[in-house]
Amino acid sequence: MQDLLISKPRPVERLLLVGVPIAMVGFALVLLRAFNPASTWFFPPCPFREFTGYLCPGCGTLRAIHQLLNGHVAAAFRLNPLMMLLLPYVGYSGFSTALDTAFGRPLPNVFLRPVYIWILLAVIILFWILRNIPFFAILGNC
Amino acid sequence: MYCPKCGTTNDGNAWKCIQCQEVLQQAPAAGTPPEVIPNYLWQAIVCTACCCIPLGIPAIVYAAQVNTKVVQGDIAGARQASKNAKMWCWIAFGTGIASSLVWLAINIGVMMTNHHSFGR
């Protein structure tokens, strides 16, 4: 019974489940490479920043990706150093999830020791606070 | 799969029949990789980065709980934390998409209004 209710998606559905999001992300990346969110109107701003006037930990990510796609690594790091540092992990895990969904074969699993994830949480919250303090303006250059 | 002894339908990867405890498949041999319980950490980071603050933060908390409970051997707890992490990722993602669409609609509305007034 359970097998019937939670049937695994068929191959075509699996490819769509992966293909559609990848196409959308790809389209977004093409747009991001061509247009700088800092000087075009159609990239949505951060709601947190709009309402509070303070930076959030993710502020600058889209502009940083724009710089990265155009080969300006240093500019990308200036806009959001934390997210640039996390990008390799997100890229690897995201690619692994895509492979797993499409073919049922993920990349070798990276099991992070729990303490690292708790530290990451603390770092994100600390980064959030610090980049709003003028003394640490280097973290909030966006 | 059906239990060969009593005919009860069991989950596809059940190793013992839920009805009669008949062994349906051999327990995983030593050395085979254990079950991976997804912690949705990369999705949580993406949600945190793409302006769904502060909703990405609980997703990261649950992601940390998943791995903490896996290490402690609390598999049921890890599965529950995994579900919560997934739920918060979707909440954060949905909120981000919704706020962006609202923003886009307002902007396009404003542009069209301005265009009309210029025409007159």
Side-chain angles (χ1 to χ4, degrees):
Chain A
M1 193 63 186
Q2 214 158 17
D3 273 342
L4 290 175
L5 288 174
I6 321 168
S7 61
K8 282 193 173 162
R10 283 175 299 177
V12 180
E13 293 168 349
R14 281 164 162 244
L15 287 178
L16 278 178
L17 267 175
V18 177
V20 171
I22 286 182
M24 288 166 78
V25 170
F27 178 65
L29 289 181
V30 169
L31 276 183
L32 264 176
R33 187 176 193 279
F35 301 100
N36 187 351
S39 50
T40 42
W41 66 270
F42 51 84
F43 289 101
C46 170
F48 181 79
R49 193 177 186 182
E50 287 287 295
F51 282 113
T52 66
Y54 290 108
L55 296 171
C56 88
C59 281
T61 307
L62 286 186
R63 280 160 286 160
I65 293 173
H66 166 78
Q67 295 298 344
L68 204 60
L69 290 172
N70 286 286
H72 308 141
V73 180
F77 268 87
R78 270 196 297 277
L79 283 161
N80 195 320
L82 179 62
M83 289 306 157
M84 288 305 106
L85 288 175
L86 293 177
L87 202 58
Y89 175 77
V90 171
Y92 180 88
S93 314
F95 187 54
S96 175
T97 304
L99 286 179
D100 192 22
T101 314
F103 311 111
R105 298 185 72 91
L107 297 173
N109 182 43
V110 185
F111 184 84
L112 290 177
R113 282 175 55 195
V115 64
Y116 293 145
I117 309 181
W118 291 114
I119 290 173
L120 171 69
L121 179 69
V123 167
I124 288 177
I125 292 173
L126 201 66
F127 179 68
W128 187 0
I129 297 169
L130 290 184
R131 71 193 315 220
N132 284 295
I133 298 174
F135 185 75
F136 294 96
I138 192 162
L139 299 174
N141 253 332
C142 62
Chain B
M1 65 162 58
Y2 295 102
C3 171
K5 195 173 160 191
C6 67
T8 307
T9 313
N10 282 276
D11 195 68
N13 49 18
W15 68 281
K16 255 186 177 181
C17 175
I18 48 168
Q19 188 65 40
C20 67
Q21 308 298 313
E22 172 82 355
V23 174
L24 298 175
Q25 49 191 322
Q26 291 304 311
T32 52
E35 176 196 359
V36 174
I37 299 173
N39 61 14
Y40 300 100
L41 182 59
W42 75 263
Q43 291 94 331
I45 295 172
V46 169
C47 288
T48 307
C50 289
C51 299
C52 316
I53 281 298
L55 299 167
I57 299 291
I60 297 178
V61 172
Y62 281 117
Q65 279 189 12
V66 171
N67 284 23
T68 304
K69 289 183 173 173
V70 165
V71 168
Q72 289 168 349
D74 177 9
I75 299 305
R79 284 208 188 97
Q80 187 54 48
S82 175
K83 271 185 193 163
N84 289 335
K86 187 181 184 180
M87 182 187 76
W88 278 103
C89 284
W90 278 115
I91 292 174
F93 184 70
T95 311
I97 294 290
S99 72
S100 298
L101 287 179
V102 167
W103 177 86
L104 213 59
I106 291 173
N107 265 270
I108 291 173
V110 168
M111 276 168 68
M112 285 171 78
T113 318
N114 288 344
H115 186 72
H116 263 279
S117 53
F118 278 129
R120 280 174 196 182

